[in-house]
Amino acid sequence: MDPSSTGIQEPFDLIRLSLSERVYVKLRGDREVTGILHAYDGHMNLILSDVEETIMIVDVDAPLEERRAVKMAKRKMEMLFVRGDGVILVSPPSRT
Amino acid sequence: MSFFGFEEGGLEHEKKKFLEGGLKESEDVAVYTWGEESYDGLGDALLEGGDELNDETFGATGAIGKDFDFSSQNLPVTSPSTGRVHDQHSRAIEQQPRERTPRIEVTGSSPSVQPHAPPADSLESIWDDKSPFAILSRMNGAGHSADHQRAPSASKSPFLPSATNDNRAIGHQTSIPQGVNHTGVRTLQEIEAEMHAIAQQSRISQRQELLRQEQLQQLRRQQEQQEHLRQNQLQQQDLLRLQQLQQLQQRTPPPRMLSHSQSPRFHAHQILQLQQEQERQQQHRLHELQEQLRMEELERHVRAQQVPAMQHQGQSLGRRQTSFNDLQAAQGVHQRRIHSPAFVDQQHTQNSQNAQLLPHNIQLQQRLLSEMAQAEFMRDMQGVSPAEQEQLRAEAMRKIMETERMEERRRRKAAKIAHMSRYNDLMTQSDKDFITRIQVSQLVTQDPYAEDFYAQVYGAILRSRLGLQSQDERVLKFGSGGGVGLGLAQKGGGRRQSAMQKMEAQVERIVSNARLREKEKGLHSLHSLQGALGKTSGRSYKAAPRQLLQVEAANATTPTMSGAHPHISKEDAIETNGEGAAREAAKLGREALGAAAGTDGVVKMEPLAQRQVLVILESLYDLVLSVEQLRRDQPPEEDEVAFNAWQMSYEDLTEQLWINLKVMVPLETSDPHPFVSLLTPAKGKKILPRLSRHISGPRMLTLLTLLVACFSQLDVFKQAGLLDSVEDTPERQEVDRQTQAFLGSVMQSILPVVAKAELRLVSGLLGLFLDRCDVVAAAQTKPGIAILTLFLSRVEVIKQNMSTVVDSPETPTPEEAQQWQLMFDHLFQLVAPHFLALFPSARLASALPLPSHGPAPPSSSLPTDIIDQPIWQFLAALALHASSEQQQILVSTLREKVLENVTSVSKGWVADEEEGELKLANVNLFLHALGLDSSQIEI
């Protein structure tokens, strides 16, 4: 089976492949999100379910030696709408 | 007035402020003066401002100095009589401003002083015009209309032709003061008459004296003639001067005289001024009406008092005197209204302009007034006390005020409506249609149903829930493709319905128009015109940027080979192949070897990569959608041509579906099999029920066989071990999700196939299952247990059918039955040692650090009972088929488990009623298959 004959013409076609699959989304503001992609649009607005958001926090006020450790705050959401202007990248989750 | 704009503007601004303020005083509502922003009030400024000194300037006040009276100064005083005449005349001039009628007489009576009269007269007639028109003009600010009125009156001023003097002199002869000597030019008649009179008076007078007198008279006449000549000259000079003066005046006319048509701003302000005038007049009329009412009331009052008692006349007159001002004002208004043509004119225009506003206003008030007047008169006739009259008056006033207020409110409302409806009817119907067409054309699509999919489906669900007849689609279609989705059905909207119909008509027109245009275009042959304006060079390839990501439509065999998708495909390659390059080479070698490499002549292939699977799945979804759409578009079978064509395309699409599912790919091609790979993602599992509707029975059987044969390759089988851990990891969640999807979708789609399968087939499938996969391991997974239970229950149904229906086509042959028994025995043999391990609760308990003996902790007992249920079901199915020995094995193995459940319920080790019931139900499920019940068990 020749996969490209099924018509991948634009980058969004690649995102389409990840529909109803778990995706990793990197967002602006040191956030990343993993969840099952349900829908997307031309603005890269995404609907994700079963989401885990990770926020990297660097305490600027802390002394230098402590600052190396980046704190991670995590939270889970059942369903999430991600506005497209914050999306940096969308990828299938890295598999081991 | 300044030559520079700002000062002038300041004046005007102040003026405007004053005017607006004045308006507001009498009108407590907001004054709507739209369109008048640019109005500078210049006309009114000219009319109303700076007139105070006019009278002084033009000598209307006080005695006129003689410094300007050139004629009398230059006149040599030859006789005392002329001087006297002159004195008299000057006195007359002094009187002139106050009395108009005598002035004419005086001027006419003394021809000798006539020459100097015209300047004073004409000037006064111009500047101190006390005619009603002049008053009106001042009152109304309608200077221009007054100008027209003044024109004839000015021409009447007696200074112009000397010929008229004679007539006037004759006309006024009787009024000549008796003692005055006749000076100046006299006509023959005059002289004769005089002579006659003298002759009569002194018939006996001496002839000589007469002669002397006559000589004297002649002399005097001569002198007078000479003097007259000089006077004529002077008169001419005066006239000249006057003309000059007039010209001067015309050039810089005093404010009130300014001819508007000469004003440079006249045309610009005419309309505005007219509007303001009308406004003022409106107010004026209101005021007038009030005054009229008051006057009428007073009059009635007087009359009423006159009628019963004449002796009160004096008193009433006195009263009348007190309110004389009112009366006068009212009468003045009356007169003005009746007599001034300007007013009538304006009223006329106003009426025609405010046709719906004013007549109504006036009519209303007039009717009210007349009613009140009638009532009051009736009462007056019967003799009403003054107090009551007062009350009546107050009542009347109150009513008037109310009417006014209502009127004001109405006017305000009308103004508002006018303001809002400013842009009404700006667009014609065709304009609106045009815009609607533009809007609607955005909605027309080639596939209206798909574009409106969610609304359509939701509408269908709603309709079916409401029990309405399911009308397939709510779309508007036009011949060859194109249409508009209509969304949900509108509920009982009469107006909306008609709007929808209108829109439908519109859209149909648009489409037909577009088609027509296309046809025309085709007629004109676009090709003949192509390149007529020269060839446009396409893309400059030099300028085109090099594409970093080159996505080619036609690709090489595999993405891993082509490298066209380096980002994902490489990852996939690594994932599936481990060491990409080495594996690649090995694979290529195998493929080169051809048939020899594969077993049984099957070309071995790499399993589908994750991305390939996803791509195929997407295309499958596309296919499924189009097939579903095609199913909806099924033409009636009577229409053979269309139906055949439809069937062709439908079959074509289902064929594509079947091919894409890759069920027919030889079993040994890859591990996992491509079909199994397709089932790996959740969406792959979920598409199966939708696909299976379009796949024929035999093909579904093939699919089922493949699934059973490849069961061990399924992810839900491979990963099932994760479900036995208590840790809630993302992986476990993922497996759980996949398992649920498999049970919900894949099992759902194969269930009807199995339900129709014959015994021979079922035993064959079971055999395949036992052959190709580890039954014990499979039985420890949910899907495995589900499939096994499915087979067993199917056979049980067949067995029951055998006993009830004797001659069934499904009735298996004894050989088939025997084969089944063989298979079953084999299964039992394999599973029997692991009966307890089948229970997920037992596996979970062993995974837990807690000892598995004794009652399970209450927190985890409830879910374990639920997940144990399928196992109890399987065991029950097993027990049904089992022989007595097999049943004994079953009971002995499961005795502890059964007892544990029963005792935990009876001894109250359960958390609640529900749990206990669940435990007992599970046990009974199994025991009932053996013909037993949990109640028979004694502890």
Side-chain angles (χ1 to χ4, degrees):
Chain A
M1 170 75 203
D2 184 4
S4 6
S5 66
T6 51
I8 289 178
Q9 273 131 24
E10 55 176 34
F12 274 127
D13 288 342
L14 292 169
I15 289 181
R16 191 189 164 191
L17 296 181
S18 292
L19 274 174
S20 91
E21 291 287 286
R22 191 163 280 277
V23 290
Y24 163 83
V25 183
K26 192 173 176 182
L27 295 170
R28 290 179 3 174
D30 304 324
R31 284 153 198 261
E32 45 198 44
V33 147
T34 57
I36 293 161
L37 179 68
H38 286 281
Y40 66 93
D41 66 8
H43 305 286
M44 286 284 251
N45 296 327
L46 308 170
I47 306 284
L48 301 173
S49 75
D50 198 11
V51 189
E52 187 177 79
E53 183 182 13
T54 311
I55 308 165
M56 319 287 185
I57 302 166
V58 178
D59 195 356
V60 184
D61 297 326
L64 262 176
E65 56 270 23
E66 286 177 32
R67 212 185 288 175
R68 269 181 218 157
V70 175
K71 287 182 201 162
M72 301 237 279
K74 287 197 178 190
R75 56 171 175 166
K76 291 194 172 185
M77 280 146 290
E78 218 165 84
M79 193 68 84
L80 192 70
F81 175 89
V82 181
R83 195 175 142 84
D85 67 348
V87 174
I88 294 172
L89 73 85
V90 179
S91 89
S94 53
R95 279 172 245 116
T96 49
Chain B
M1 217 180 272
S2 162
F3 289 105
F4 303 102
F6 37 87
E7 273 183 46
E8 194 180 320
L11 178 76
E12 283 160 6
H13 183 65
E14 273 183 10
K15 199 75 240 164
K16 204 164 79 183
K17 260 189 358 202
F18 166 73
L19 283 170
E20 280 167 5
L23 280 170
K24 269 170 195 156
E25 265 168 30
S26 55
E27 222 178 10
D28 59 347
V29 281
V31 181
Y32 291 94
T33 50
W34 301 299
E36 289 192 12
E37 282 89 355
S38 62
Y39 180 60
D40 60 3
L42 180 62
D44 293 282
L46 291 171
L47 281 168
E48 303 214 356
D51 275 3
E52 301 90 348
L53 294 174
N54 276 2
D55 286 349
E56 203 181 342
T57 310
F58 298 106
T61 52
I64 298 167
K66 288 192 178 173
D67 48 348
F68 72 93
D69 196 355
F70 309 105
S71 57
S72 58
Q73 257 185 354
N74 292 343
L75 206 80
V77 186
T78 48
S79 71
S81 65
T82 48
R84 216 172 46 190
V85 169
H86 179 77
D87 277 351
Q88 194 188 21
H89 187 74
S90 65
R91 225 181 301 127
I93 289 167
E94 280 175 30
Q95 286 172 349
Q96 270 174 1
R98 277 157 223 105
E99 303 164 284
R100 198 174 170 79
T101 31
R103 183 184 59 183
I104 298 160
E105 284 172 22
V106 170
T107 46
S109 67
S110 53
S112 62
V113 287
Q114 202 194 0
H116 81 261
D121 196 0
S122 66
L123 279 171
E124 271 165 11
S125 68
I126 291 161
W127 297 118
D128 203 24
D129 195 347
K130 293 245 158 87
S131 74
F133 308 116
I135 293 165
L136 183 79
S137 72
R138 245 172 292 166
M139 294 286 284
N140 291 344
H144 55 101
S145 63
D147 282 346
H148 302 309
Q149 299 305 317
R150 199 179 288 113
S153 75
S155 68
K156 266 180 231 156
S157 64
F159 74 90
L160 277 169
S162 56
T164 55
N165 283 346
D166 297 336
N167 292 336
R168 207 168 294 147
I170 295 159
H172 296 306
Q173 206 176 16
T174 46
S175 64
I176 292 169
Q178 284 294 314
V180 178
N181 271 328
H182 307 296
T183 54
V185 183
R186 280 178 296 182
T187 60
L188 211 65
Q189 278 177 320
E190 267 180 290
I191 295 159
E192 270 178 353
E194 206 175 325
M195 279 167 68
H196 194 66
I198 291 160
Q200 272 185 339
Q201 274 179 0
S202 53
R203 283 246 173 105
I204 26 164
S205 62
Q206 296 94 353
R207 283 263 175 219
Q208 285 202 333
E209 204 175 357
L210 191 82
L211 268 168
R212 255 205 300 155
Q213 272 185 346
E214 271 195 330
Q215 276 174 348
L216 202 80
Q217 271 186 338
Q218 265 184 336
L219 204 87
R220 207 183 288 162
R221 228 175 285 151
Q222 276 176 351
Q223 277 179 341
E224 276 175 15
Q225 272 174 346
Q226 282 177 346
E227 192 189 326
H228 187 234
L229 268 168
R230 261 169 55 203
Q231 274 186 346
N232 265 352
Q233 281 179 335
L234 270 167
Q235 195 181 359
Q236 276 178 347
Q237 280 178 351
D238 271 359
L239 261 168
L240 211 73
R241 213 175 323 162
L242 191 78
Q243 275 174 349
Q244 281 173 346
L245 196 74
Q246 273 184 332
Q247 278 172 352
L248 211 75
Q249 278 170 350
Q250 274 184 345
R251 244 173 282 144
T252 57
R256 201 150 50 86
M257 267 299 287
L258 184 73
S259 166
H260 283 240
S261 56
Q262 281 174 339
S263 159
R265 302 199 194 183
F266 170 71
H267 295 292
H269 298 315
Q270 202 177 22
I271 296 158
L272 295 176
Q273 209 169 0
L274 205 75
Q275 279 178 349
Q276 226 190 17
E277 247 169 59
Q278 280 168 358
E279 221 168 283
R280 212 175 311 162
Q281 210 132 60
Q282 219 168 301
Q283 279 181 282
H284 188 72
R285 199 161 324 143
L286 251 162
H287 195 65
E288 198 179 297
L289 275 160
Q290 274 176 286
E291 273 185 342
Q292 197 187 351
L293 177 84
R294 225 182 310 167
M295 196 191 69
E296 276 173 357
E297 203 182 346
L298 277 164
E299 274 181 350
R300 257 201 321 278
H301 206 67
V302 169
R303 223 181 304 140
Q305 281 180 339
Q306 271 175 346
V307 170
M310 288 297 278
Q311 67 264 32
H312 290 306
Q313 202 177 15
Q315 192 198 339
S316 69
L317 264 170
R319 276 184 70 170
R320 209 171 167 154
Q321 275 290 318
T322 54
S323 59
F324 178 72
N325 286 338
D326 288 354
L327 268 171
Q328 211 178 23
Q331 273 169 340
V333 166
H334 234 346
Q335 274 181 342
R336 252 176 282 141
R337 201 173 72 170
I338 292 155
H339 297 300
S340 117
F343 183 89
V344 172
D345 258 356
Q346 278 165 356
Q347 195 185 27
H348 191 70
T349 53
Q350 200 173 21
N351 277 354
S352 62
Q353 277 178 2
N354 303 353
Q356 77 272 58
L357 213 78
L358 274 172
H360 177 75
N361 185 359
I362 291 164
Q363 271 177 5
L364 199 79
Q365 287 202 344
Q366 275 179 347
R367 207 176 56 209
L368 204 80
L369 286 174
S370 65
E371 273 172 18
M372 283 195 303
Q374 212 173 12
E376 207 174 332
F377 182 69
M378 292 296 282
R379 242 172 290 165
D380 281 351
M381 288 301 280
Q382 288 157 5
V384 194
S385 76
E388 277 181 353
Q389 281 173 3
E390 268 308 313
Q391 203 186 338
L392 267 170
R393 199 177 306 161
E395 176 80 4
M397 283 312 287
R398 199 182 55 74
K399 276 190 180 171
I400 288 166
M401 292 293 278
E402 206 172 298
T403 332
E404 266 174 39
R405 226 175 300 131
M406 294 245 298
E407 183 51 40
E408 230 144 65
R409 209 178 304 153
R410 202 187 59 76
R411 208 184 310 155
R412 215 176 337 172
K413 213 163 128 193
K416 250 184 206 167
I417 289 166
H419 182 64
M420 284 190 296
S421 63
R422 267 178 308 181
Y423 303 123
N424 274 8
D425 297 327
L426 272 183
M427 287 168 75
T428 62
Q429 189 56 43
S430 65
D431 289 343
K432 289 174 195 166
D433 286 355
F434 180 66
I435 284 168
T436 317
R437 234 172 292 148
I438 290 169
Q439 289 172 338
V440 168
S441 65
Q442 302 293 315
L443 302 174
V444 178
T445 57
Q446 285 299 307
D447 189 0
Y449 185 85
E451 293 283 319
D452 202 20
F453 181 78
Y454 292 102
Q456 299 283 351
V457 169
Y458 180 63
I461 291 168
L462 266 190
R463 277 195 296 276
S464 68
R465 202 175 292 166
L466 289 169
L468 298 172
Q469 85 283 4
S470 60
Q471 155 198 6
D472 252 2
E473 307 173 8
R474 279 192 50 79
V475 285
L476 206 65
K477 285 200 178 161
F478 317 108
S480 62
V484 181
L486 295 181
L488 291 177
Q490 261 85 40
K491 278 172 207 157
R495 227 175 112 190
R496 267 193 153 182
Q497 208 66 37
S498 70
M500 285 301 290
Q501 280 167 0
K502 229 187 257 172
M503 200 198 79
E504 279 174 38
Q506 276 271 343
V507 172
E508 261 166 22
R509 224 175 68 202
I510 297 158
V511 171
S512 61
N513 278 352
R515 214 164 284 154
L516 216 74
R517 220 171 298 140
E518 239 163 68
K519 222 178 266 176
E520 266 175 38
K521 248 186 208 167
L523 280 175
H524 288 141
S525 168
L526 199 72
H527 295 290
S528 67
L529 293 173
Q530 220 164 41
L533 293 173
K535 206 179 161 194
T536 48
S537 66
R539 194 161 142 192
S540 159
Y541 290 97
K542 273 181 190 168
R546 194 172 64 87
Q547 284 178 321
L548 281 175
L549 186 72
Q550 286 179 345
V551 184
E552 290 158 35
N555 216 334
T557 49
T558 59
T560 48
M561 289 293 288
S562 72
H565 313 282
H567 176 67
I568 289 172
S569 59
K570 210 175 240 169
E571 190 193 15
D572 291 341
I574 288 163
E575 189 241 330
T576 50
N577 300 349
E579 293 303 314
R583 285 294 186 101
E584 214 67 64
K587 196 194 92 184
L588 278 174
R590 268 206 307 278
E591 275 175 352
L593 286 171
T599 51
D600 308 333
V602 173
V603 178
K604 271 271 189 186
M605 272 167 58
E606 288 300 315
L608 287 174
Q610 171 78 4
R611 204 181 67 80
Q612 283 173 295
V613 169
L614 293 174
V615 168
I616 293 166
L617 278 176
E618 286 307 318
S619 68
L620 272 177
Y621 268 105
D622 279 341
L623 275 172
V624 165
L625 283 172
S626 51
V627 168
E628 281 174 354
Q629 178 59 39
L630 205 64
R631 275 282 281 262
R632 280 189 291 270
D633 293 339
Q634 180 173 3
E637 290 190 30
E638 296 89 62
D639 188 355
E640 249 178 62
V641 183
F643 185 77
N644 285 342
W646 174 83
Q647 192 129 31
M648 285 277 285
S649 54
Y650 181 73
E651 275 165 15
D652 182 46
L653 278 179
T654 47
E655 189 63 33
Q656 280 186 46
L657 266 182
W658 183 246
I659 291 167
N660 271 356
L661 265 181
K662 306 200 177 295
V663 175
M664 297 310 285
V665 175
L667 202 62
E668 305 298 334
T669 305
S670 64
D671 182 16
H673 188 270
F675 175 67
V676 174
S677 293
L678 288 180
L679 284 183
T680 306
K683 52 180 164 180
K685 295 182 177 79
K686 280 172 184 164
I687 203 175
L688 209 58
R690 288 175 81 171
L691 278 170
S692 57
R693 256 178 274 162
H694 308 291
I695 293 173
S696 59
R699 280 181 170 178
M700 275 310 288
L701 263 181
T702 319
L703 191 148
L704 174 63
T705 314
L706 182 67
L707 190 70
V708 168
C710 298
F711 189 81
S712 60
Q713 298 173 354
L714 284 169
D715 61 327
V716 285
F717 174 78
K718 284 179 177 169
Q719 315 273 318
L722 280 168
L723 286 174
D724 294 334
S725 71
V726 273
E727 264 183 289
D728 192 22
T729 57
E731 289 78 27
R732 190 186 178 280
Q733 278 181 9
E734 177 65 18
V735 174
D736 195 34
R737 190 168 78 99
Q738 298 289 351
T739 307
Q740 289 304 323
F742 186 87
L743 290 175
S745 302
V746 180
M747 290 305 289
Q748 214 65 41
S749 51
I750 61 169
L751 193 90
V753 186
V754 177
K756 279 186 247 166
E758 294 168 23
L759 182 62
R760 189 170 50 87
L761 190 75
V762 178
S763 32
L765 283 173
L766 185 60
L768 191 63
F769 191 80
L770 297 175
D771 182 41
R772 283 191 64 88
C773 108
D774 178 4
V775 178
V776 178
Q780 287 183 15
T781 66
K782 280 183 190 177
I785 282 290
I787 281 188
L788 287 174
T789 314
L790 193 64
F791 290 156
L792 292 177
S793 53
R794 171 61 192 159
V795 175
E796 183 56 32
V797 170
I798 293 169
K799 276 185 179 173
Q800 277 176 7
N801 281 352
M802 260 165 63
S803 56
T804 51
V805 185
V806 185
D807 290 324
S808 164
E810 280 185 342
T811 309
T813 56
E815 296 87 50
E816 284 172 2
Q818 205 180 350
Q819 196 191 359
W820 165 250
Q821 200 56 48
L822 260 169
M823 284 298 156
F824 177 78
D825 288 345
H826 188 42
L827 172 70
F828 193 87
Q829 210 179 342
L830 285 169
V831 175
H834 308 280
F835 278 148
L836 278 178
L838 293 182
F839 291 100
S841 61
R843 295 201 299 272
L844 270 175
S846 66
L848 279 170
L850 283 165
S852 57
H853 307 294
S859 59
S860 64
S861 58
L862 185 64
T864 54
D865 283 319
I866 290 171
I867 56 174
D868 278 351
Q869 198 175 19
I871 309 299
W872 289 110
Q873 274 174 345
F874 169 70
L875 290 174
L878 211 60
L880 280 172
H881 291 284
S883 61
S884 54
E885 303 95 58
Q886 284 167 337
Q887 278 182 355
Q888 266 187 348
I889 297 167
L890 261 175
V891 170
S892 59
T893 323
L894 294 169
R895 194 162 164 264
E896 245 178 69
K897 187 81 181 167
V898 171
L899 281 177
E900 184 193 304
N901 271 11
V902 173
T903 47
S904 66
V905 171
S906 59
K907 291 199 176 171
W909 287 344
V910 290
D912 52 18
E913 281 287 299
E914 207 182 318
E915 195 195 327
E917 281 173 23
L918 204 65
K919 277 184 190 294
L920 282 181
N922 279 345
V923 172
N924 279 335
L925 205 67
F926 169 64
L927 292 178
H928 286 169
L930 297 168
L932 297 168
D933 195 90
S934 62
S935 56
Q936 295 170 325
I937 298 170
E938 287 169 30
I939 306 135

